[in-house]
């Protein structure tokens, strides 16, 4: 079926000619965020073990009970299945009742509307059409009504016809035969996903249907035909955590719609699993420290802090004390300068530009220098550069002392005694390193990714990260960093205004609003992640490879909206790179790429080279390999 609004408009025009429109329910009106029905039983088994304390192989017993009754009764109900479970498991009646309730509530928590079908349903009802829902299901019409209403369907005046109540089925044609006798001369159109039960049999009994080529495809069918499945298909048989996240990606974020291409929630599928795991990582790490105080560093703090609040609220735990912390590499680099050695450390980081540009981009200061044309490539030309910057050091040191005093006062007003822990994207940990120098005390750091040899180590500070390097996300760093940009300026330095310390913000280019607008879907995804973390506790775990596969899979499968990709801009004046249009960067998706090997070798060198030889090794690497 073509993915277009015109397809829905054409269908509405066709349906206007009919007196009755019927819908299948599962995978047509609503769909599960688990892609195989039997996975629900595995999930119920885990929840039951925690809440009821049972140790039985519930998933196996549940599947066998339904199969047995399908053979003997043909169309068993939910109640009949649980009577059989009681017989097979020898569990007490009250325990079986609790498990039964858990399965119903689990289904309720997994089901979502197919968004464009819900919109179609509302239009038909608004137009006064008679709507009938027909399902081959073991749930009762009352239970199905609860599922549908929870997903946003208004069932007033809608008839439900369910196989286990009729003791007839769509799948063998018996239910359609009965409905055909009732139909008479009514013009009746049926919409559903199953080629047999929703297309061939109703058509054979005189009902009009979508043909086999234009029928509704389930989210799983759409996924199976899409390039994304080449990367993520293996997780259909993964652990329950992987199945829950993959199910959300497929059934809600990417392939939810039957007619339209989903775009609003695709960014959630791309970033949501990583952000959910990062929030989980932050909370777990916070439990290891006595009296921690989280500093959500701007600008990413504008994103991370709301996500963390959402995660903590959903799992029902209080977030550790925290604040949005106004800092940047530039502002803290200036405040952390005490001597020429600190300038040398700054000159060790890659930069290309003049002395004047270095002072402006690295320290946020505007100085007029004599030689405005001579450019330096750092760190390879470090010695010459340090000689040229000497005349300006006294002024730099004066500005640094002022910033140091402001940052010290600012920090003491926020966390006088608590252990400050910076929360940021990561890589080298420069802001954490600078802040520990400013305060002359231990400052922690928690990151998404962190280089093996990082700056906080030099100050004896602890730093940890969720992901290890190298990985393919790091190899496509511009896409990753740009996706976390907000429409806020970075901090140049602190200043005192009206007896209050406030940030002076840069005057840079703001990212287009579409980048930040798409982050609502990431917030929703984190809420979903946290919901199942609360339910499954230690049984809910995602490894780094899964997170990387999801991120790379969505990025490389032509799913992200073009308007969003074109809006991904990255400004890195600190390294002298200026403004980067990320969508023009080639995506590196090969695990065995030369860049991957170079990154791996670089980190091995960082981890094992003697410190006395590190600077020489670094110069050699930059000159001949970088």
């Amino acid at each position: 079926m073509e993915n277009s609004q015109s397809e829905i408009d054409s269908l509405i025009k066709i349906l206007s000619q009919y007196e009755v429109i019927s819908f299948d329910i599962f995978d047509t009106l609503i769909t599960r965020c688990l892609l195989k029905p039997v996975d629900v039983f595995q999930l119920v088994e885990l929840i039951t073990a925690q809440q009821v304390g049972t140790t039985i192989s519930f998933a196996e017993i549940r599947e066998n009970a339904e199969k047995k009754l399908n053979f003997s009764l043909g169309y068993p109900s939910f109640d009949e299945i649980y009577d059989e479970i009681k017989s097979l498991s020898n569990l007490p009646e009250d325990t079986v009742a609790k498990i039964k309730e858990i399965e119903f509530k689990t289904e309720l928590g997994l089901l979502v509307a197919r968004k464009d079908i819900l919109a179609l349903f509302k239009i038909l009802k608004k137009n006064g059409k008679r709507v009938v829902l027909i399902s081959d299901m073991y749930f009762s019409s009352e239970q199905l009504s609860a599922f549908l209403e929870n997903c946003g369907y208004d069932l007033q005046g809608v008839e439900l016809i369910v196989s286990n109540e009729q003791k007839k089925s769509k799948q063998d044609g018996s239910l359609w035969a009965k409905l055909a006798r009732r139909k008479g001369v009514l013009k009746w159109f049926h919409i559903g996903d199953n080629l047999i039960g929703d297309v061939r049999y109703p058509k054979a009994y005189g009902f009009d249907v979508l043909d086999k080529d234009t029928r509704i495809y389930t989210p799983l069918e759409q996924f199976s035909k899409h390039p994304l499945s080449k990367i993520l298909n293996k997780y259909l048989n993964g652990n329950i955590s992987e199945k829950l996240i993959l199910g959300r990606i497929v059934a809600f974020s990417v392939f939810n719609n039957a007619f339209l291409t989903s775009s609003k929630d695709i960014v959630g599928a791309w970033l949501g699993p990583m952000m959910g795991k990062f929030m989980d990582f932050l909370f777990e790490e916070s439990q290891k420290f006595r009296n921690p105080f989280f500093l959500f560093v701007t600008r990413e703090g504008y994103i991370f802090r709301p996500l963390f609040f959402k995660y903590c609220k959903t799992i029902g735990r209080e977030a550790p004390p925290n604040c949005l912390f106004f800092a940047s590499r530039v502002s803290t680099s200036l405040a952390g300068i005490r001597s020429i050695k600190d300038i040398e450390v700054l000159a060790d980081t890659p930069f290309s530009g003049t002395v004047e540009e270095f002072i402006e981009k690295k320290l946020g200061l505007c100085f007029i220098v004599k030689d405005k044309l001579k450019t330096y490539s750092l760190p390879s030309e470090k010695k010459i550069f340090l000689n040229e910057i000497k005349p300006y050091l006294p002024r730099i040191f004066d500005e640094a002392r002022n910033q140091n005093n402001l940052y010290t006062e600012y920090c003491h007003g926020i966390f006088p005694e608590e252990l400050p822990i910076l929360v940021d994207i990561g890589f080298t940990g420069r802001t954490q390193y600078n802040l520990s120098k400013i305060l002359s005390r231990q400052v922690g750091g928690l990151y998404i990714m962190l280089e093996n040899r990082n700056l906080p180590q030099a100050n004896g500070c602890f730093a940890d990260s969720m992901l290890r390097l190298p990985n393919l996300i790091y190899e496509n760093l511009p896409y990753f960093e740009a996706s976390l940009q907000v429409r806020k300026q970075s901090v140049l330095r602190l200043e005192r205004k009206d007896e209050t310390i406030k940030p002076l913000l840069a005057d840079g280019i703001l990212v287009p609003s579409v980048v930040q607008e798409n982050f609502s879907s990431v917030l929703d995804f984190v809420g979903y992640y946290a919901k199942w973390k609360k339910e499954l506790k230690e049984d809910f775990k995602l490894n780094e490879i899964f997170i990387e596969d999801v991120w790379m899979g969505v990025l490389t499968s032509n799913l992200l909206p073009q308007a969003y990709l074109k809006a991904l801009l990255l400004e890195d004046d600190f390294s002298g790179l200026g403004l980067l249009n990320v969508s023009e960067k080639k995506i590196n998706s090969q695990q065995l790429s030369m860049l991957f090997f170079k990154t791996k070798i670089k980190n091995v060198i960082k981890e094992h080279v003697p410190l006395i030889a590190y600077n020489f090794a670094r110069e050699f690497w930059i000159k001949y390999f970088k």
Side-chain angles (χ1 to χ4, degrees), residues 91 187 394 522:
L91 289 171
K187 292 194 70 178
V522 181

Side-chain angles (χ1 to χ4, degrees), residues 389-567:
I389 202 173
K390 276 184 181 179
Y392 311 101
L393 292 181
R395 288 181 62 193
I396 291 174
F397 293 153
D398 283 344
E399 293 284 353
R401 277 190 291 273
N402 179 51
Q403 278 300 297
N404 186 288
N405 291 335
L406 287 172
Y407 258 108
T408 300
E409 183 180 340
Y410 172 55
C411 292
H412 286 169
I414 300 172
F415 48 90
E417 296 181 1
E418 297 92 337
L419 172 64
I421 300 176
L422 263 71
V423 177
D424 206 352
I425 295 179
F427 312 132
T428 65
R430 177 170 293 280
T431 302
Q432 178 191 350
Y433 166 82
N434 291 337
L435 190 60
S436 69
K437 286 175 56 190
I438 295 167
L439 301 177
S440 298
R441 60 179 287 195
Q442 181 83 197
V443 174
L446 294 173
Y447 304 98
I448 294 178
M449 291 182 281
L450 192 64
E451 291 189 358
N452 294 342
R453 186 183 290 275
N454 51 74
L455 289 169
Q457 290 177 338
N459 285 358
C461 294
F462 72 87
D464 200 3
S465 63
M466 178 184 74
L467 300 179
R468 307 300 166 196
L469 299 180
N471 61 57
L472 286 174
I473 300 172
Y474 189 70
E475 289 198 42
N476 293 281
L477 205 51
Y479 284 92
F480 175 65
E481 286 193 90
S483 70
L484 299 178
Q485 298 295 297
V486 295
R487 289 180 61 78
K488 302 281 186 180
Q489 299 288 10
S490 61
V491 178
L492 275 179
R493 58 184 175 273
L494 298 182
E495 59 182 4
R496 192 183 301 277
K497 280 190 174 181
D498 301 324
E499 302 302 316
T500 303
I501 296 175
K502 296 181 179 179
L504 175 66
L505 303 179
D507 186 23
I509 296 173
L510 291 173
V511 297
S513 59
V514 67
V515 177
Q516 195 164 336
E517 288 166 1
N518 272 271
F519 228 83
S520 62
S521 64
V522 181
L523 189 68
D524 290 342
F525 207 110
V526 169
Y528 174 85
Y529 185 110
K531 178 179 79 170
W532 291 111
K533 179 66 178 183
K534 179 182 180 182
E535 199 76 63
L536 296 177
K537 299 179 177 61
E538 294 306 312
D539 287 323
F540 189 87
K541 292 181 179 178
L542 295 175
N543 64 37
E544 294 180 23
I545 301 301
F546 177 80
I547 296 297
E548 182 180 326
D549 282 346
V550 168
W551 193 86
M552 287 301 301
V554 174
L555 180 62
T556 59
S557 297
N558 198 31
L559 284 168
L560 292 167
Q562 284 302 307
Y564 175 80
L565 284 172
K566 289 178 180 178

